[in-house]
Amino acid sequence: MSPDLDIERIDEVIHGRIRLGIMAYLAGAGAADFSELKTRLSATDGNLSVHLRKLEDAGYVEIEKAFAGRRPLTTVRINDAGRNAFASYLEALRGLLPPT
């Protein structure tokens, strides 16, 4: 086993399937509205809301609630802390893989 193999470096906040999907999508897009994330991740309203709250509580995303006409509009943005955490997460995953 590699001395660099350290499963403890995996960020549990990001590691959940939906949260990982959110972070991966936002890493590329920068921001997305709630409906866009819901569709891309095949998530329910409640499930997506819970996962977004966990990411927001960890300080990885910023959530802005507004209205577009009479319709609520929730926009999610990855912030610098989130970008750094996601980069660290990916690096930790790479550390779990055997060298090529």
Side-chain angles (χ1 to χ4, degrees):
M1 193 170 343
S2 166
D4 294 335
L5 187 62
D6 187 3
I7 196 81
E8 296 300 319
R9 290 181 49 216
I10 299 296
D11 187 329
E12 290 291 328
V13 173
I14 295 174
H15 195 64
R17 184 180 67 84
I18 296 293
R19 293 186 302 273
L20 177 57
I22 293 166
M23 294 298 285
Y25 189 77
L26 293 177
D33 68 43
F34 187 90
S35 296
E36 182 179 358
L37 286 172
K38 181 179 152 185
T39 300
R40 299 288 275 184
L41 300 170
S42 300
T44 64
D45 286 354
N47 196 13
L48 183 57
S49 292
V50 166
H51 290 292
L52 286 172
R53 175 61 54 109
K54 287 183 182 184
L55 291 170
E56 183 181 39
D57 288 347
Y60 296 164
V61 300
E62 296 168 4
I63 299 174
E64 178 185 314
K65 296 184 182 272
F67 283 90
R70 292 186 159 181
R71 294 188 61 212
L73 178 64
T74 300
T75 304
V76 183
R77 285 183 173 69
I78 192 168
N79 58 27
D80 289 341
R83 285 190 188 282
N84 291 336
F86 189 61
S88 294
Y89 174 84
L90 293 177
E91 187 59 34
L93 280 182
R94 281 186 206 99
L96 296 176
L97 299 173
T100 55

